[in-house]
Amino acid sequence: MRTSRIRTATLAAVTAALALGLTACGGADGGSKAAGGDSAAGSAQSPSASNGDGKGGSQQANSGGATKEGARSTTASGGTGEASGKGTTAGAQQCRGDEMLLTAVHRFAGQQGDHLLVTASNKGTKPCWVTSYPTVKLGDVDSAALPHSKKDNPGGDKHITLQPGGTAYSAVNLFDYGSKNHTAQSFALALRGADGQDGPSYSVDLKGEKPQFSWSEADVLNWSTKKPYNF
């Protein structure tokens, strides 16, 4: 009886131990599954978090940076285009007389250096260019056009771009020799094209205190952005 009881107790103990082991194993597996579930859930959230916080933030930052940089580039390009537009004839066409304000002033009347200062201002809304020297006929419009001054600086074939409101200058040198002179208070002016051909002529009346001028010979200077004889 004792042996049977001992065996029964032993078997019960072994059975309990096995049950505990199985329970422990089951608990470990459950914990592993739970951990795996948490890990899987974390992995699933990780791309989402990366897309939302990491990658998405990176894309937004890059997108924002690219947008700002693109805006600066556009602004810089616009600035460069405007700066380039002031110094080149890109996109500009030849100035037309009907879009120009043409004026003249008699300077140093009766003195050495007697001349007519001619001013051409762009009153249009777009840049335009002038070149060479203006075709000038003093007094009677049927008179011959004045020659180009032999003492003028070279470079008359260049285009001078005038922005809206911009101004170019020329001068008519007057020489009064002896008694065979002419007198007038106005003259006709035409703008030359790149091919040397004249455009329409426009009458220019002189301004100032002494609009009347006299000459026996005269010649013309090239257009310039600076006033000639500015002394």
Side-chain angles (χ1 to χ4, degrees):
M1 294 297 292
R2 287 181 180 177
T3 302
S4 178
R5 288 176 181 176
I6 290 172
R7 288 178 180 176
T8 301
T10 301
L11 289 173
V14 171
T15 302
L18 289 173
L20 289 173
L22 291 173
T23 302
C25 291
D29 292 341
S32 176
K33 290 179 181 179
D38 292 342
S39 176
S43 297
Q45 289 176 0
S46 179
S48 175
S50 175
N51 289 336
D53 298 333
K55 187 176 179 182
S58 175
Q59 287 179 345
Q60 289 176 358
N62 290 339
S63 175
T67 301
K68 291 180 181 178
E69 185 176 355
R72 286 196 298 270
S73 177
T74 301
T75 302
S77 175
T80 302
E82 291 173 2
S84 178
K86 291 181 181 179
T88 66
T89 57
Q93 297 186 0
Q94 182 181 354
C95 294
R96 295 180 359 190
D98 57 353
E99 294 183 345
M100 305 291 287
L101 175 61
L102 304 172
T103 60
V105 176
H106 188 191
R107 302 183 69 202
F108 305 114
Q111 305 177 38
Q112 185 176 2
D114 187 4
H115 69 278
L116 308 178
L117 175 64
V118 182
T119 302
S121 301
N122 181 8
K123 293 303 180 183
T125 58
K126 298 179 180 180
C128 66
W129 54 262
V130 294
T131 188
S132 188
Y133 60 96
T135 296
V136 176
K137 296 180 180 181
L138 299 178
D140 188 356
V141 293
D142 292 331
S143 62
L146 299 180
H148 178 231
S149 175
K150 296 180 180 179
K151 297 181 180 180
D152 198 4
N153 295 324
D157 57 339
K158 294 182 179 179
H159 290 182
I160 298 177
T161 302
L162 303 180
Q163 297 296 323
T167 300
Y169 303 94
S170 178
V172 177
N173 298 315
L174 302 173
F175 306 100
D176 190 356
Y177 301 126
S179 58
K180 294 183 179 181
N181 55 10
H182 310 276
T183 301
Q185 294 187 15
S186 65
F187 60 88
L189 182 148
L191 300 175
R192 289 176 178 268
D195 57 359
Q197 298 297 316
D198 297 341
S201 294
Y202 297 88
S203 179
V204 181
D205 295 322
L206 268 73
K207 308 295 183 181
E209 297 180 356
K210 297 182 179 180
Q212 183 170 298
F213 57 92
S214 299
W215 78 99
S216 57
E217 294 182 14
D219 55 30
V220 189
L221 298 181
N222 287 324
W223 290 113
S224 174
T225 55
K226 298 181 179 180
K227 289 182 180 181
Y229 311 123
N230 193 23
F231 44 79

